[in-house]
Amino acid sequence: MRATAPDDRTPHTYWLFADGRLLRARAGDTRAEVVADVPNIRETGSDTGDGRITGKPLEARLYAHGPWVGVTERFGTNAALINTDTGAVREMSRADHHSDVSSYSVGFLERQGRTLLVAQTEWNRLDVLDAETGERLTGQREQLDYFHSLLHVSPGSRHFLSNGWAWSPVDVVYAFSTEAFLTGHEASGIAVSTAFGYNWDRPCTFVGDRTFVLALDEELDEELDEELDEEDEEYHQLAFFDIPELTSADRPDHLLEPRSLVDCDVFARNEHGEVKGELHYDAESGCLVAMTAGDGVHLVTLEGDVVARLPDVNLASPPSHGDIGSTFSGSGGWSYASRHRVLYRWADRSGIEERPLPGGARR
């Protein structure tokens, strides 16, 4: 089993990817229904990027929205979009330039009654396609000197983020308005003012259509620390941002500053001060779901207070490019299904296991 994702239409039902096929299964059942063959998704890395993942297991990722499921080679160049109602498969690809350290990611957008797919087609280019017809809705344009990586879409599809990087390298998160992007493309986005480091694909989630939160690294550069005021030296783990009105005619000439910084300590820092893991938002409790590879799951209020913890529910490995040349994260770790508010993982002997989200503060 290389990847799993919840069917957001039906509780306790999951999409699975194994042996080049997309399958559907119920929780607790090792039997699965074959939905489609997806032959273009490889199992091992080739000489893409700088060849660092040649011959290594290649991580697959699933992205589900209604009847649509996207499959990507996370650090490869191939992807596919499957209509699970018909079994139709549309193969896709992105141009290779440092693909071995840039996540191949897709996102689904709802706009005027149509389901759209935003996906990388080149290292510095996102395109928007009609999921049903494959029509490309974005045209030629000037492109950023920027490597797109993991994408995050707001709950109402009004905005999306690219959790990527730029030379030399340094991580930079870009925020986009869906409407502005359709005509203004990458130039309509705005970069955040913080989180610059070597840690793209960092924990990140939307908490509304306009507001998102990033987990920040701890600055360990002693030379830089000497130049900072004592007040600026204090470490805050979570940064909240409000996306301003963006139009296709604008080219923002400033960086997006955080609305607020929150003290929190749910993500352990590695020897470089970096945070690793995943962030999700549980709208019913109004809390963040922070997932790590070694410290389990924390349910955290937007003020940074931990209200519940599951120490034995861990990710398979930090979902990051890690050291240049990714290691395979596998599918044995836990994930979170926000629509159904359950934690889940694949177990070879029992199929999908589920755990309820621990109780937290209610609005």
Side-chain angles (χ1 to χ4, degrees):
M1 194 63 58
R2 295 177 60 200
T4 59
D7 182 341
D8 59 8
R9 301 171 298 178
T10 309
H12 314 300
T13 303
Y14 293 83
W15 306 112
L16 316 172
F17 188 75
D19 300 324
R21 298 181 297 177
L22 182 70
L23 310 112
R24 180 193 287 114
R26 294 281 294 175
D29 194 340
T30 56
R31 298 168 298 175
E33 168 197 359
V34 176
V35 177
D37 290 318
V38 194
N40 70 318
I41 304 299
R42 300 165 299 177
E43 293 197 8
T44 57
S46 64
D47 58 354
T48 53
D50 287 342
R52 288 176 289 253
I53 61 172
T54 301
K56 295 181 180 179
L58 194 58
E59 181 180 349
R61 284 249 170 161
L62 292 181
Y63 301 84
H65 179 78
W68 303 99
V69 175
V71 187
T72 69
E73 299 170 349
R74 184 177 177 193
F75 296 106
T77 58
N78 297 311
L81 179 65
I82 300 100
N83 183 333
T84 62
D85 286 343
T86 66
V89 177
R90 181 180 300 115
E91 295 184 354
M92 303 183 299
S93 65
R94 64 172 176 175
D96 174 37
H97 184 45
H98 296 297
S99 63
D100 56 343
V101 290
S102 303
S103 297
Y104 196 173
S105 181
V106 301
F108 291 96
L109 306 167
E110 289 296 329
R111 179 177 181 266
Q112 299 177 357
R114 302 166 74 183
T115 298
L116 309 181
L117 182 79
V118 56
Q120 299 155 21
T121 52
E122 298 184 38
W123 63 276
N124 61 348
R125 174 176 177 137
L126 297 175
D127 277 303
V128 179
L129 312 174
D130 184 289
E132 184 69 42
T133 66
E135 176 190 2
R136 181 179 291 186
L137 305 180
T138 41
Q140 298 300 317
R141 75 278 198 165
E142 176 187 354
Q143 294 168 322
L144 295 177
D145 183 13
Y146 176 76
F147 292 80
H148 289 290
S149 203
L150 285 183
L151 302 179
H152 305 265
V153 177
S154 72
S157 301
R158 291 179 59 189
H159 298 92
F160 61 91
L161 309 173
S162 183
N163 201 342
W165 61 283
W167 286 111
S168 59
V170 61
D171 59 276
V172 184
V173 174
Y174 264 91
F176 299 97
S177 157
T178 298
E179 292 303 315
F181 186 85
L182 286 169
T183 52
H185 311 117
E186 277 81 3
S188 67
I190 184 169
V192 303
S193 65
T194 188
F196 296 122
Y198 191 65
N199 190 19
W200 53 97
D201 291 351
R202 66 175 55 249
C204 173
T205 190
F206 275 96
V207 296
D209 262 339
R210 188 175 294 279
T211 302
F212 64 94
V213 56
L214 297 178
L216 304 182
D217 299 335
E218 184 174 14
E219 179 59 64
L220 299 180
D221 189 328
E222 293 183 0
E223 292 184 6
L224 181 60
D225 285 346
E226 292 177 358
E227 301 174 4
L228 296 175
D229 295 332
E230 288 188 8
E231 181 179 347
D232 293 330
E233 291 180 12
E234 184 178 355
Y235 172 60
H236 302 277
Q237 190 160 88
L238 301 179
F240 288 77
F241 297 84
D242 289 332
I243 302 174
E245 291 292 339
L246 300 172
T247 70
S248 60
D250 290 339
R251 181 186 291 272
D253 58 358
H254 60 282
L255 298 175
L256 182 59
E257 299 288 344
R259 178 194 71 192
S260 60
L261 297 171
V262 171
D263 290 330
C264 190
D265 198 28
V266 294
F267 292 107
R269 277 83 72 199
N270 65 14
E271 66 272 23
H272 306 295
E274 298 169 341
V275 293
K276 304 289 184 179
E278 292 183 359
L279 264 179
H280 303 272
Y281 180 58
D282 176 46
E284 184 170 330
S285 67
C287 290
L288 297 169
V289 181
M291 305 186 70
T292 68
D295 296 321
V297 170
H298 296 79
L299 198 66
V300 187
T301 69
L302 300 188
E303 293 74 36
D305 298 318
V306 176
V307 295
R309 183 178 175 225
L310 292 174
D312 60 332
V313 177
N314 288 288
L315 296 169
S317 68
S320 165
H321 60 91
D323 295 329
I324 291 211
S326 172
T327 55
F328 177 56
S329 70
S331 61
W334 291 87
S335 301
Y336 177 59
S338 58
R339 180 68 62 88
H340 305 308
R341 305 185 73 234
V342 296
L343 298 148
Y344 67 92
R345 70 173 177 181
W346 171 264
D348 288 336
R349 294 186 177 182
S350 57
I352 290 288
E353 297 179 353
E354 293 182 327
R355 292 275 295 272
L357 191 69
R362 298 298 179 196
R363 293 185 185 181

